[in-house]
Amino acid sequence: MHRCQPPDAVVWPQNVEQVSQLAALCYSQGVPIIPFGTGTGLEGGVCAVQGGVCINLTHMDRILKLNPEDFSVVVEPGVTRKALNTYLRDSGLWFPVDPGADASLCGMVATGASGTNAVRYGTMRDNVLNLEVVLPGGRLLHTAGLGRHFRKSAAGYNLTGLFVGSEGTLGLITAATLRLHPVPEATVAATCAFPSVQAAVDTTVHILQAAVPVARIEFLDEVMMDACNRHSQLNCPVAPTLFLEFHGSEQTLAEQIQRAEEIAGHNGASLFSWAKEAEERRRLWAARHSAWYAALALRPGCKGYSTDVCVPISRLPEILVQTKEDLKASGLTGTIVGHVGDGNFHCILLVDPEDTEEVRRVMAFGEQLGRRALALHGTCTGEHGIGLGKQQLLQEEVGAVGMETMRQLKAMLDPQGLMNPGKVL
Amino acid sequence: MHRCQPPDAVVWPQNVEQVSQLAALCYSQGVPIIPFGTGTGLEGGVCAVQGGVCINLTHMDRILKLNPEDFSVVVEPGVTRKALNTYLRDSGLWFPVDPGADASLCGMVATGASGTNAVRYGTMRDNVLNLEVVLPGGRLLHTAGLGRHFRKSAAGYNLTGLFVGSEGTLGLITAATLRLHPVPEATVAATCAFPSVQAAVDTTVHILQAAVPVARIEFLDEVMMDACNRHSQLNCPVAPTLFLEFHGSEQTLAEQIQRAEEIAGHNGASLFSWAKEAEERRRLWAARHSAWYAALALRPGCKGYSTDVCVPISRLPEILVQTKEDLKASGLTGTIVGHVGDGNFHCILLVDPEDTEEVRRVMAFGEQLGRRALALHGTCTGEHGIGLGKQQLLQEEVGAVGMETMRQLKAMLDPQGLMNPGKVL
């Protein structure tokens, strides 16, 4: 939905010294700086709205240091999450944050990414131990101190947390120390159809309350399920559906499965279908990850726009029902899919980009959805970020003092306003 | 170790409006403001080094809102962690962060507290969803927006994270929205003696690598174990020891126990002793929580000084062996106890406060321990904070650019330097 706005120049630095020199040069000349990873963000974070120099960090793609006993790894900004997990294959460890796209890990830091595994393993906010940041003027900051990779600290202000989710507006992330997790011994996935949205959400809350350590719990509305059936040759009932995944030992999995089935049964689930074999599981999650393409296939020739909000879990049924009514009233085609264990969901809208009136309706729908989330004590974005598209909603979300504090932070670190200008604030 | 430095006045506001008026009045008159919760911090965070007004928040002790389906609760600053867990008793939920003392929850936010359960449930940094903060001039900031309590967000800069661990130097925390967890169905604790520090740490790393979801894993050196035996009438072997606790269903506990025993056995553990009954478990953890008093009893009439550092887990054996040698070389009496699953440990030193030479040696020892942790890529404090005692170490930890960024943050939010002056920076 964000019009392509190219920069005046693109550079591909090979190392942090070059990034630092570039930042210093741009800053001294008043030239905007736009950091670039894989460009898979959804809120226009890499649009060069004021021109300037795009610093493409993909050539810096080394995995600098693996500390297996300490469950940590240091990566350069061009390393993607799939590349890291391939590298880790024989280590018994993995990096679980999975936003769907094979995004660069430092880009995921910048946007505060999360995705399907966040309910169990947390988001990027929970999985970054240290960052190397080139500040706008070119100076180098190690947010937790040079080379440090402890699990916790109470030493001074949390600078690492300040840069996670800052969307490239405070500095360029040139290395990240990430927290790794042990690969689960066994994995089982399942799908489960429900008579209503409420029943699917109640099942989610009850599974969490029962302390079943679910690794993924994804909701698909019946439109999304139908689209996935067609696009990925699944054969699931066309109904509000949960996709679940459990990680653990063989023995604990059996118990998790039994409990989840009991809870779903109490909530009226009609069919619980287990995928225990790797191939079956792969097919299921490939279908989930192809939800975007499945949605696009509903209106060939149209573009997709995925918006995201997050609310307290108890308010999910309310907002999901409202959103489906809003969709109907607006005459738009859209599907709902989301990380229901976090209260986070996406609405994928199909739009003809040539139809300016429809584009306007899609934008209005997105804004209305954001406001509905805010009215339910939620946030206008659970994981996509503010970028260009949600600046008005951010103001409504955090209020005047919150906005002023964020603006002070921006002015403090980027007094000339040259770091990825026009985003977030 | 921090000399008592009383304020000029103490006030007990009853509500956030009064806190705001007090902050505005103090700020306009150039009077230092010192927030006070339970005063259980260990690094002198409530000393009024420049006099001023102590704002004692203990009269604001209401639990404002419990959202059981959303796993969240809003508390005023006078609510302690034990009071909250008593309140939650029938809800099926609990707040797991446990620094030992019955500290106020907002004080725990301010110091970034953690403790024995952090290896499984995280520290305060992971368990705060929103904060109400009175800024130095009296204005009210809701770090995640007024009344919001979502599980995750990518909306703007992480203001919540900025105040967690800020030690009262950026504002007064007048309410916190905390993340709750389901009460485990069953709990088992255990003690296990090892032939060496290395064997105990290896066991810890292997348990974590095997993805056994240990809830607590605490290390006690043989001096600490001996002191606890005497003080709390335990009968454990005098050796490097792990205290463990597992949370889960009856069935998964059996498996966790079996795996932990196998791993400990492979690492030469001589005795694995299980405490399955509540009374037995209570006795064990009461002994662990009384470690401070057990240590004090080693030298009656002396004072204790507990310092804390945190290193990458793989470096724990090295620093523990070094620390024991340093203790011997310094002629000081001290015990070692800690949250080994996080790489975090405490050294409790016994000191005669009248003996200035000994006090000097204790301070020197603490500084040396901090430097040893820094040399091993660790932090000078895993959970106690910087306060008055570790400002030099903080500079060495985060470097010049890190310190300058922290000073900029302080100047931005507290331009007159009146919020808890003399701490952290």
Side-chain angles (χ1 to χ4, degrees), chain B residues 321-340:
Chain B
V321 168
Q322 282 173 346
T323 302
K324 294 184 78 62
E325 281 168 11
D326 290 345
L327 266 176
K328 197 179 285 180
S330 68
L332 295 168
T333 303
T335 66
I336 293 174
V337 58
H339 318 310
V340 76

Side-chain angles (χ1 to χ4, degrees), chain A residues 220-384:
Chain A
L220 296 83
D221 77 344
E222 72 284 3
V223 185
M224 188 77 256
M225 194 62 253
D226 191 28
C228 285
N229 277 341
R230 295 188 212 187
H231 184 78
S232 301
Q233 289 85 51
L234 297 182
N235 194 23
C236 295
V238 175
T241 300
L242 290 180
F243 279 23
L244 302 103
E245 189 166 279
F246 301 94
H247 296 170
S249 66
E250 295 287 355
Q251 195 183 324
T252 57
L253 280 185
E255 193 189 47
Q256 290 184 42
I257 289 171
Q258 189 202 336
R259 296 208 166 185
E261 259 185 331
E262 272 170 27
I263 290 168
H266 283 150
N267 287 299
S270 50
L271 184 74
F272 219 102
S273 169
W274 293 100
K276 292 185 187 173
E277 299 309 316
E279 182 51 32
E280 246 181 308
R281 279 205 324 273
R282 201 204 51 73
R283 200 161 144 249
L284 201 60
W285 289 110
R288 167 63 189 87
H289 278 146
S290 300
W292 171 256
Y293 300 100
L296 286 183
L298 290 175
R299 263 188 85 185
C302 283
K303 297 261 181 196
Y305 170 61
S306 174
T307 186
D308 104 289
V309 298
C310 180
V311 296
I313 303 179
S314 66
R315 313 309 292 270
L316 264 178
E318 198 172 336
I319 194 169
L320 289 172
V321 168
Q322 283 173 346
T323 302
K324 293 182 79 61
E325 282 169 10
D326 291 344
L327 266 177
K328 197 179 288 182
S330 68
L332 295 169
T333 303
T335 65
I336 294 175
V337 58
H339 319 309
V340 76
D342 298 320
N344 180 207
F345 70 92
H346 308 297
C347 194
I348 305 177
L349 299 159
L350 287 316
V351 58
D352 175 357
E354 304 300 315
D355 181 344
T356 51
E357 199 280 325
E358 192 176 68
V359 170
R360 194 199 51 73
R361 273 189 293 148
V362 165
M363 301 304 282
F365 176 89
E367 209 162 289
Q368 184 180 29
L369 178 57
R371 292 220 167 83
R372 287 212 185 278
L374 295 181
L376 298 173
H377 309 300
T379 171
C380 67
T381 173
E383 53 183 30
H384 292 177

